[in-house]
Structures are given as C-alpha cells and as structure tokens.
Amino acid sequence: MTITFIGHGYVGLVTAAVFADLGNTVYCVGRNPEKINNLKKGLTPFFEPGLEELVKKNLEQKRLIFTLDYQEAIPEADVVFICVGTPSLPSGEADLSAVFKASEEIAKNLKGYTVVACKSTVPVGTNRRVAKILEKGKKKDVKFDIASCPEFLKEGTALHDTQNPDRIVAGADSVKALDVLEELHKPINSIFLRTTIETAEMIKYGANTLLAAKISFANSMSFLCDIVGADIEQVMEGIGLDNRIGKQFLAAGVGYGGSCFPKDVKALVAMTKRYKTPGMLFEAVEEVNQIAHEHFFQKVKKYFHNDLKGKKITLWGLAFKPDTDDMRDAPSLPIIKSLLNEGAKVVAYDPKAVENAKKSLGEKYAIEYTPDAYSACAGTDALLIVTEWNEFKQADLEKVKKQLKKPVIFDGRNIYEAKKVKELGFEYYGTGK
Ligand code: UDX
C-alpha cells in the first residue's frame, strides 16, 4: 500500500519507518525544512534506539520519502495517518490546531478513495470535526472515510512496541475503512480491535490515565512506606502478583513525565469538566504525581537540615525515562528548580538528554553538565538518582564514593540494594524503603 504520515514525532516517524520496512511506500510530511532535510539524509530529530538505522535502510530502499509537500504525499495514498502533536492548552484541554490544519491540507489534496486515520491523541468528537473539514475542503467527487487509530508505543522501546503491539485499536463507521486498516496491519501479529470512533478515542485516554494511576498509586503507597518501615518494591510485587492487577507500571519513584501521561491525564480531567462528570479520580492521579517529585526533594532538603544554601548536588539522569533524550515534563526539571531556588548548585549527567535539558531549563536555571557520571560527583555533597539509565545500575560505587565529598545517595528510582550500598559505606535513602 501507499501510506502517508503527517508529522514526524515519535508516533509519525516510528510508525512510518516500521510500515516502510514491511514493504509499503511511505510518505512522511513535515513543516520544518531543516528537519525534513535532515530526515532525507537519515538524521532523526530525536534519539530512539534503532530508529536512525531503520530510517536509513528504508531511505536507501526508496520506500520512505520525506517531504514538505502535501501535494506530493496525499493523492497516491491509500491511508493517511494524522500524527501531529496535541499539547496541553493552559486550560488542560488538548490543543487541536495542528490536527485541524493538517486536515485542511489533506482535504485539498485527496484524490481517489482514502482512509484518513488519526493517531494523534484527541478528545472524543475530534475525528468527527476532522471529517467535516475534509468534507468541506475536498473536491466534489472524491471519497474518503475517517478512522481513529490510537498509538500505544513507549519512548525508548518504540520500534519494538510498534512491531509487537498488545493490540491495534481502530474505530470507524465504515466497514471498508476498517478492512483497509486491518489489511495494512496484517503483517503485525496482534489483536485487531474494531470499534466506533468515539470508543477508540476514549480507549487511548483511558489506557494512559490508568497506567498513570498505577504509578500514582505506587507513589502514594511509597509515601507511607517511607514512614512505616515497609519496602515499596516488595509491597508492589506482592500486589502485582495478583493477575487481576499485573506487575507492570507499579514502580514508585519521582513521578511520571513525558509527552503523554501528564498531558493526557490533564485532557481527561478537562473532558470531565466539559461534560460535568465526576473527575476526582483522574485529578488525584495528577496531584499525586506533583507530590512525588516534591516528596523526593523534601527528603534531600530535610537531610541537609532544611538548608541547601551552598550545597553542591549531583543528579544522575535528566530525561523523563531511560533510552530517550526527551525532557518533556521530566521530573528532573522541578527537582532542579527546587534545588536552585534553595541556593544549591547542581551538577548533572545524562547520556542523551543534556542538549534538551539546556533548552528546557533556560538561562534562569543554568546548571553544570559533565561528560560522564563520575566527574559529576567530584566534590559534591550528595548523589541523586533521577532517571534509571542502565549504566547507573552497575556503576563503580567505590569510585563514586571517592569523588563525593560525603557518601550519600538519594535513589529516586530504587536502582540499588540498600544493604549492599550501605556495606560500601554510603548513607542510602531509597524511595518508599
Ligand atoms: C506512555 C505509554 O506507556 C504509551 O502507551 C503511550 O503511547 C505514550 O505514553 P511513554 O511516556 O513513552 O509511554 O513512557 P512510559 O514507559 O509509559 O513512562 C512514562 C513515565 O512513567 C516515565 O516518566 C516513567 O519513568 C514513569 N513510570 C513508568 C514510573 O514512574 N513507574 C512505572 O512503573 C512506569
């Protein structure tokens, strides 16, 4: 088939590369000439393991075509996927302007029968608005169907998730559109769930908010564990072994971040306000998440007798999770800001996210960055683990101890075993331990 992706963010670019690799002819449309030029050379705008290699391979095979031009990418397409960003507005609602702008451009260029499927996370009702825009802007005799086809990939494992999804959800009124989408997904061995547009839209928000709720639940439990002497990891293991609950997404830490959970929980809360339904459960998920990084910071502050002035603090990890350079809503940001606001100095190391961290923090929150994990500990008063990159898990802690002014670790991701670290002579503060 010929498929077009509008947008080359995590969803658009990863899915485009995967479908090209399956033998389809794939167009990927962007708006930024510099990014499109780089993509034509096989340079991706963000770090995702394995992605650049897959993009390069499919560029060479001429199955993947990057363009700024809707006129080139739409007329031949059997399926057009809308994969543009839907960031939060100040109200918490999703900003749908990019979705609607893309729809206008698609409408002008539709030729034969085309399925226009939205992968962007959008509130219920959005796809019907897309249909109206397409209907209004298209040439008279052109036929199309719309569908909602939400994406569930995770950053850091995006290729694997796209090639091996737990399910593919497709919502449409038209059986023909669902047949086309099912045919396209055939080489991907998974459950293909056919449903309505509204249901598909709700599934995406529901899935993300329930996963975020699991994390906020674990974090709420960990606040208690910190005080009562229970071990959060074993508590959540004991809970997660119940098949009805499941073991995943129960790791307590410094809170969730990224491009989806924070924005999607807020958007679901906004939907409950709009339709006047009780949204307190969803609101609590978000509130607990804010408390999670604040709780971690307060633990550090308390250790220094509420006086962080002049203290030098090392942060290991800046990205919102390992294996990505993404800093969107990363818990490291409020932690760094709180430390700086209290007069501490921050030295940070992250294997991939430094450039994006500089942009996110701006000049007001300037910190020192080091090229490796150990030099970040030179002469500092404490080590804070904020992102659980693999290279931290078996780091040479003897070497770390020699570098630190005082051997104390605050482990926001519970990557170390308390007993072992203490035996090495560290003071160790885990999360919910
Ligand atoms: C998420 C969803 O998992 C994915 O299905 C959706 O398509 C996009 O949003 P992503 O944000 O890329 O994916 O990463 P994910 O692995 O879900 O982690 C999100 C955040 O939750 C990270 O900050 C991570 O550190 C945190 N997290 C995750 C926890 O704090 N504890 C956990 O147990 C799991």
Side-chain angles (χ1 to χ4, degrees):
M1 285 192 201
T2 299
I3 320 165
T4 292
F5 288 82
I6 313 297
H8 47 64
Y10 281 90
V11 173
L13 187 55
V14 169
T15 326
V18 167
F19 277 114
D21 205 50
L22 289 170
N24 298 288
T25 300
V26 176
Y27 289 92
C28 193
V29 186
R31 283 184 310 179
N32 181 322
E34 194 191 331
K35 285 188 182 165
I36 289 293
N37 271 337
N38 283 336
L39 281 164
K40 283 180 178 172
K41 292 181 216 147
L43 304 171
T44 57
F46 51 84
F47 168 71
E48 177 65 33
L51 181 61
E52 214 155 78
E53 292 83 337
L54 199 68
V55 166
K56 280 193 176 125
K57 176 183 159 198
N58 284 282
L59 272 172
E60 274 164 26
Q61 309 275 339
K62 304 208 178 340
R63 286 193 295 256
L64 189 51
I65 303 138
F66 293 102
T67 179
L68 294 161
D69 189 1
Y70 279 78
Q71 227 175 328
E72 181 190 359
I74 303 295
E76 300 309 315
D78 300 294
V79 181
V80 176
F81 285 111
I82 299 175
C83 308
V84 296
T86 52
S88 292
L89 289 167
S91 64
E93 285 182 296
D95 180 353
L96 301 172
S97 52
V99 173
F100 296 144
K101 182 92 198 67
S103 307
E104 283 167 18
E105 295 298 325
I106 295 165
K108 283 188 239 163
N109 293 289
L110 286 175
K111 205 170 148 202
Y113 172 76
T114 314
V115 178
V116 179
C118 189
K119 278 198 170 287
S120 303
T121 303
V122 293
V124 177
T126 307
N127 278 291
R128 302 248 175 235
R129 289 171 71 186
V130 168
K132 281 196 185 134
I133 295 170
L134 295 176
E135 195 56 59
K136 198 171 152 208
K138 74 175 180 67
K139 288 174 207 82
K140 218 170 123 219
D141 51 350
V142 168
K143 299 245 179 310
F144 74 92
D145 278 312
I146 56 150
S148 167
C149 200
E151 180 53 57
F152 301 99
L153 62 81
K154 302 185 292 301
E155 291 180 27
T157 53
L159 286 180
H160 178 267
D161 293 348
T162 309
Q163 287 156 341
N164 308 277
D166 288 343
R167 78 300 205 189
I168 294 149
V169 174
D173 294 340
S174 144
V175 174
K176 188 176 171 188
L178 291 171
D179 287 346
V180 170
L181 289 171
E182 185 160 7
E183 183 61 32
L184 175 65
H185 286 89
K186 261 221 173 102
I188 295 170
N189 193 16
S190 186
I191 294 162
F192 187 84
L193 180 70
R194 290 174 171 238
T195 185
T196 64
I197 292 170
E198 286 72 16
T199 305
E201 289 169 334
M202 274 301 267
I203 286 172
K204 175 67 189 185
Y205 279 107
N208 271 357
T209 304
L210 185 53
L211 290 168
K214 286 183 91 175
I215 300 167
S216 281
F217 182 89
N219 283 328
S220 297
M221 292 288 283
S222 91
F223 305 151
L224 259 178
C225 286
D226 263 338
I227 295 169
V228 301
D231 180 323
I232 188 68
E233 285 187 289
Q234 285 198 341
V235 168
M236 296 323 289
E237 190 189 352
I239 293 171
L241 280 168
D242 185 327
N243 278 332
R244 293 170 300 175
I245 297 170
K247 284 190 257 181
Q248 295 195 53
F249 280 70
L250 292 180
V254 289
Y256 59 76
S259 63
C260 291
F261 288 173
K263 118 181 135 58
D264 293 347
V265 175
K266 282 191 195 99
L268 191 61
V269 169
M271 261 189 269
T272 63
K273 295 217 161 92
R274 174 175 284 236
Y275 295 107
K276 298 193 170 47
T277 61
M280 63 283 246
L281 181 61
F282 312 146
E283 282 178 54
V285 171
E286 162 73 8
E287 243 173 83
V288 172
N289 196 51
Q290 300 297 332
I291 296 169
H293 49 70
E294 178 62 20
H295 179 80
F296 179 71
F297 165 72
Q298 287 299 337
K299 214 184 271 185
V300 179
K301 187 174 164 187
K302 203 169 150 201
Y303 174 84
F304 289 105
H305 309 289
N306 292 326
D307 183 11
L308 285 161
K309 223 169 265 145
K311 293 283 177 290
K312 218 171 166 187
I313 307 291
T314 301
L315 240 77
W316 274 8
L318 293 161
F320 84 95
K321 64 179 277 189
D323 293 322
T324 180
D325 59 359
D326 201 337
M327 284 297 297
R328 283 175 288 179
D329 271 309
S332 63
L333 294 171
I335 293 169
I336 290 171
K337 287 177 187 174
S338 299
L339 288 166
L340 295 181
N341 286 340
E342 295 277 337
K345 289 197 165 65
V346 176
V347 189
Y349 167 71
D350 187 285
K352 292 283 176 198
V354 169
E355 286 315 309
N356 285 338
K358 283 181 189 165
K359 282 183 216 148
S360 302
L361 286 164
E363 278 174 21
K364 190 173 167 210
Y365 293 102
I367 62 168
E368 190 186 330
Y369 301 92
T370 58
D372 69 279
Y374 300 105
S375 51
C377 300
T380 63
D381 294 278
L383 167 61
L384 276 49
I385 317 276
V386 178
T387 314
E388 68 280 31
W389 283 93
N390 259 344
E391 65 176 83
F392 302 151
K393 292 181 182 165
Q394 292 189 331
D396 182 346
L397 291 180
E398 291 285 7
K399 199 167 157 187
V400 170
K401 200 175 137 196
K402 279 190 201 126
Q403 299 275 340
L404 288 169
K405 207 193 281 174
K406 205 172 167 208
V408 52
I409 296 178
F410 293 88
D411 187 351
R413 298 288 187 175
N414 287 332
I415 63 170
Y416 296 130
E417 256 179 68
K419 194 166 162 270
K420 278 194 191 157
V421 182
K422 283 181 184 166
E423 273 167 13
L424 289 172
F426 283 92
E427 277 184 83
Y428 175 79
Y429 299 93
T431 299
K433 296 270 176 178

